[in-house]
């Protein structure tokens, strides 16, 4: 990377164009990623635990009730079959009209988006730590025991190799028939789903704050260090750039040899995958609720500020509509934009239908044909942002000579009256009631509040994140549906969280594993010690679950 290139990239972060308007906004209670079919229909899972199919404007066609919610992107096959994963441990196969074809129960929640292979079989990874292969009728072909939860969505290479990350800090490669080829150890957890480049290279992020590049045989090619962890999934653009956002608030574009091409400063953490449009524009949302459009050289083009958290990437139709979901489940649609680029891996899971595999040459040709109309359509030219005119010099007016002011007659008084000099009466200000002093809770009170609202699920004790962290003197940053950042001394560390209702809870075991923290059981309580401070959480662990020494990194949302 040249210094000139770096200067150019960081000098143009201010938007240069007026942002497009949100054409359609609908409160649809969307909770999963939005999948776009070839014809433009949308499929997603709602907070009502239903799989929904709508038209391109969000008007519902059908819905199907599952046993729980789910956040994985539904996969829509070329035949129109929807494969939808749920937190009830099931994968559902629904026909084009929303009727159940089959469902399969697995050994744990399914957070990872399944991958569709060219022969119609599907790869499913679970939080129970197993990868399964099913045929198109839902019959099991093989299983592979990972031994650690999998939240990273599997990706299938051109030769059939299956890649995925896991909570054992490793990227895995399996043969098409489910045998282990190799593993690669990152420095920390791998939530990020892998992207596959044109030459078969594998790219993914990790909580070790790095973007990793591996050869198809598992050998490290390069890593790029960011300032915080990388849970987002990379894309590989038509220009050969690997683009990914970090929780440090930056978007990084690295070429295939590992050299940084540009850095875009979004200003807030990024959990969602970027998407490349056909004109080379990269669209990426951040956790503050701002959608950023970035030019080919890393310059800011426009921004849409929603004020509502966005922790999933944007989806783009072949017809040129851009979709993103804001906190609370609102579906936002930007119409008359460009379609996806025809690129090695231009969006999450490689395609609008979330297939999760490298497309064949024939499929790339079909994509190019399907997107040609929207890619070449005449659009209204984006308006440049009006620049602020430079201040002009002001010539001071000459000071007028003093004049004797004319008396202004009072209407009720026929002649001017010269009042006698008097001393004005002192004014007594009205008493001001001070605002109530803020209520400051002690660590013991915060710990009591946290213990009073403790939950148990899947063999773990969960505490409300805000109160538990405050009791330990920790600052909470960048909370998503799966993780949060805790400021620990001069470090920022990720912890897994789980949502109960709309509130984030943290595993007690995850708090006890923080650097410099010790845990012990006391009479009717769990005591966490940081430095010389003991914080007593009055928990009846025996009535909840046995305390586990190591967090299991379960998923973010409650099972039914």
């Amino acid at each position: 990377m040249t210094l000139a290139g770096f200067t150019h990239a960081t000098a143009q972060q201010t938007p240069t164009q007026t942002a497009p308007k949100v054409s359609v906004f609908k409160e649809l209670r969307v909770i999963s990623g939005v999948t776009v079919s070839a014809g433009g229909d949308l499929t997603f899972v709602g907070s009502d635990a239903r799989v929904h199919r709508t038209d391109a404007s969000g008007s519902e066609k059908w819905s199907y009730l599952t046993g729980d919610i789910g956040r994985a992107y539904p996969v829509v096959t070329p035949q129109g079959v929807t494969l939808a994963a749920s937190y009830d441990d099931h994968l559902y196969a629904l026909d084009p009209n929303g009727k159940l074809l089959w469902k399969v129960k697995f050994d744990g929640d399914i957070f990872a988006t399944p991958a569709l292979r060219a022969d119609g079989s599907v790869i499913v990874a679970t939080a129970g730590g197993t990868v399964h292969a099913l045929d198109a009728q839902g019959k099991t072909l093989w299983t592979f025991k990972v031994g650690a939860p999998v939240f990273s969505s599997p990706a299938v290479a051109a030769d059939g190799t299956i890649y995925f990350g896991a909570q054992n800090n490793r990227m895995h490669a399996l043969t098409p028939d489910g045998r282990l080829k190799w593993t690669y150890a990152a420095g920390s957890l791998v939530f990020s789903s892998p992207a596959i480049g044109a030459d078969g290279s594998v790219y993914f992020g990790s909580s070790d704050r790095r973007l990793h590049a591996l050869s198809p045989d598992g050998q490290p090619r390069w890593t790029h260090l960011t300032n915080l962890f990388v849970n987002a999934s990379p894309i590989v653009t038509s220009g050969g750039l690997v683009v990914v956002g970090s929780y440090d608030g930056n978007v990084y574009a690295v070429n295939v040899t590992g050299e940084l091409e540009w850095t875009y400063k979004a200003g807030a953490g990024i959990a969602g995958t970027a998407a490349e449009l056909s004109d080379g524009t990269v669209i990426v949302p951040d956790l503050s609720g701002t959608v950023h459009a970035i030019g080919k050289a890393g310059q800011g083009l426009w921004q849409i500020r929603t004020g509502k958290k966005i922790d999933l990437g944007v989806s783009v139709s072949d017809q040129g509509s851009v979709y993103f979901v804001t906190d609370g489940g609102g579906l936002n649609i930007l119409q008359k934009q460009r379609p996806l680029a025809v690129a090695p891996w231009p969006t999450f899971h490689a395609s609008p239908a979330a297939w999760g595999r490298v497309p064949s040459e024939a499929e790339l040709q079909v994509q190019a044909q399907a997107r040609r109309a929207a890619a070449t359509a005449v659009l209204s030219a984006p308006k440049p942002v009006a620049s602020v005119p430079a201040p002009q010099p002001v010539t001071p007016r000459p000071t007028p000579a003093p004049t004797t002011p004319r008396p202004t007659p009072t209407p009720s008084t026929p002649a001017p009256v010269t009042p006698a000099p008097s001393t004005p009466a002192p004014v007594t200000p009205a008493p001001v009631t001070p605002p109530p002093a803020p209520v400051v809770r002690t660590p013991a009170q915060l710990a009591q509040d946290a213990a009073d609202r403790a939950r148990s699920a899947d063999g773990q004790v969960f505490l409300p994140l805000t109160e538990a962290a405050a009791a330990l003197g920790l600052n909470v940053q960048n909370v998503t549906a799966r993780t949060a950042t805790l400021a620990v001394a001069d470090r920022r560390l990720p912890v897994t969280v789980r949502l109960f209702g709309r509130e984030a809870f943290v595993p007690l075991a995850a708090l006890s594993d923080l650097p410099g923290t010790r845990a012990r059981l006391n009479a009717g309580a769990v005591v966490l010690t940081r430095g010389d401070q003991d914080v007593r959480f009055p928990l009846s662990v025996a009535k909840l679950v046995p305390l586990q020494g190591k967090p299991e990194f379960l998923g973010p949302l409650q099972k039914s």
Side-chain angles (χ1 to χ4, degrees):
M1 183 193 77
T2 64
L3 181 59
F6 180 82
T7 303
H8 174 73
T10 58
Q12 300 187 42
Q13 304 303 300
T14 303
T16 59
Q17 300 174 4
T18 300
K21 301 294 185 181
V22 174
S23 309
V24 178
F25 175 81
K26 291 187 176 181
E27 291 283 3
L28 298 183
R29 298 191 293 174
V30 185
I31 197 170
S32 75
V34 175
T35 298
V36 189
S37 302
D41 284 354
L42 312 179
T43 309
F44 56 85
V45 180
S47 58
D48 56 359
R50 287 182 172 272
V51 182
H52 294 266
R53 170 69 57 80
T54 76
D55 65 14
S57 65
S59 296
E60 185 157 295
K61 291 187 169 183
W62 54 257
S63 69
Y64 179 86
L65 181 64
T66 68
D68 204 341
I69 59 176
R71 297 209 79 199
Y73 286 65
V75 177
V76 179
T77 74
Q79 296 75 33
V81 173
T82 297
L83 302 170
S86 171
Y87 291 170
D88 65 359
D89 303 355
H90 283 83
L91 180 72
Y92 296 82
L94 309 174
D95 74 11
N97 297 312
K99 305 299 183 183
L100 182 67
L101 294 173
W102 50 262
K103 63 179 181 179
V104 176
K105 182 176 175 60
F106 297 100
D107 60 332
D109 294 344
I110 307 170
F111 297 100
T113 298
L116 181 69
R117 297 199 285 188
D119 63 357
S121 60
V122 60
I123 304 299
V124 184
T126 73
T130 307
V131 175
H132 307 257
L134 309 179
D135 68 14
Q137 288 71 47
K139 303 298 183 182
T140 298
L141 299 173
W142 51 259
T143 61
F144 175 83
K145 291 290 185 181
V146 182
V150 180
F151 301 134
S152 168
S153 301
V156 181
D159 65 356
T161 301
I162 301 156
Y163 301 105
F164 61 90
Q167 299 302 288
N168 58 5
N169 303 353
R170 291 180 175 273
M171 178 59 58
H172 302 71
L174 303 183
T175 63
D177 58 355
R179 292 176 291 110
L180 182 66
K181 292 179 69 173
W182 51 258
T183 66
Y184 166 84
S188 188
L189 307 175
V190 182
F191 285 98
S192 175
S193 303
I196 302 174
D199 63 351
S201 294
V202 181
Y203 305 99
F204 67 97
S206 169
S207 295
D208 64 6
R209 304 182 297 156
R210 285 174 167 82
L211 172 64
H212 296 261
L214 306 179
S215 65
D217 60 359
Q219 297 302 308
R221 287 190 165 165
W222 49 261
T223 63
H224 181 78
L225 181 66
T226 73
N227 297 315
L228 205 52
F229 48 96
V230 182
N231 283 3
S233 302
I235 63 171
V236 184
T237 72
S238 55
L241 296 181
V242 184
V243 179
V244 71
S246 167
Y247 269 70
D248 66 10
N250 293 322
V251 181
Y252 297 89
V254 185
N255 65 31
V256 294
T257 61
E259 297 169 313
L260 181 67
E261 293 286 340
W262 50 258
T263 302
Y264 174 87
K265 297 182 182 300
I270 297 167
T273 306
E276 185 196 15
L277 305 187
S278 61
D279 62 358
T281 299
V282 169
I283 308 292
V284 63
D286 68 32
L287 291 170
S288 74
T290 299
V291 179
H292 304 263
I294 309 169
K296 292 180 180 180
Q299 75 275 24
L301 299 180
W302 50 257
Q303 296 176 352
I304 296 175
R305 299 181 183 274
T306 70
K308 297 180 180 179
K309 181 176 69 176
I310 306 174
D311 61 2
L312 291 165
V314 301
S315 301
V316 186
S317 73
D318 289 346
Q319 295 74 31
S321 290
V322 176
Y323 301 90
F324 60 92
V325 177
T326 46
D327 191 37
L331 177 67
N332 299 258
I333 308 176
L334 306 178
Q335 296 174 336
K336 297 182 179 179
Q337 304 299 306
R338 294 302 184 194
L340 273 180
V342 178
W345 205 274
T347 188
F348 176 79
H349 237 208
S351 72
W355 290 351
R357 70 167 187 262
V358 172
S360 65
E361 286 299 325
E363 288 170 336
L364 286 173
Q365 292 177 10
V366 170
Q367 290 176 6
Q369 181 62 36
R371 298 169 191 173
R372 181 169 294 135
T376 58
V378 177
L379 306 180
S380 57
K383 298 178 181 179
V385 174
S387 59
V388 179
Q392 299 298 317
V394 178
T395 304
R397 295 181 179 179
T399 303
T403 59
T404 304
R406 296 180 180 180
T408 303
T410 304
S412 60
T413 305
V417 177
T418 303
S422 60
T423 303
V427 178
T428 303
V432 178
T433 303
V439 177
V440 179
R441 291 183 292 173
T442 66
Q445 291 171 325
L446 291 163
Q448 180 68 58
D449 291 346
D452 289 343
R453 298 198 298 117
R455 303 286 189 95
S456 64
D458 300 310
Q460 293 194 94
V461 175
F462 291 84
L463 299 176
L465 175 65
T466 302
E467 286 84 354
L472 295 171
L474 304 175
N475 184 29
V476 179
Q477 302 171 345
N478 295 332
V479 181
T480 75
R482 293 186 178 186
T483 60
T485 306
L486 296 181
V488 182
D490 59 347
R491 302 172 62 186
R492 294 183 178 183
L493 299 177
V495 293
T496 298
V497 298
R498 183 167 183 169
L499 298 187
F500 291 90
R502 297 287 298 279
E503 186 178 2
F505 281 66
V506 60
L508 175 60
L511 293 176
S512 68
D513 270 1
L514 290 173
T517 304
R518 303 187 307 278
R520 68 180 187 275
L521 286 174
N522 205 339
V526 175
V527 179
L528 297 183
T529 302
R530 289 188 53 77
D532 57 357
Q533 180 184 13
D534 288 344
V535 180
R536 184 176 183 273
F537 292 86
L539 292 165
S540 178
V541 177
K543 293 182 179 179
L544 293 167
V545 294
L547 183 64
Q548 299 179 13
K550 183 177 181 180
E552 295 185 4
F553 296 103
L554 293 175
L557 296 172
Q558 179 183 10
K559 294 177 64 178
S560 61

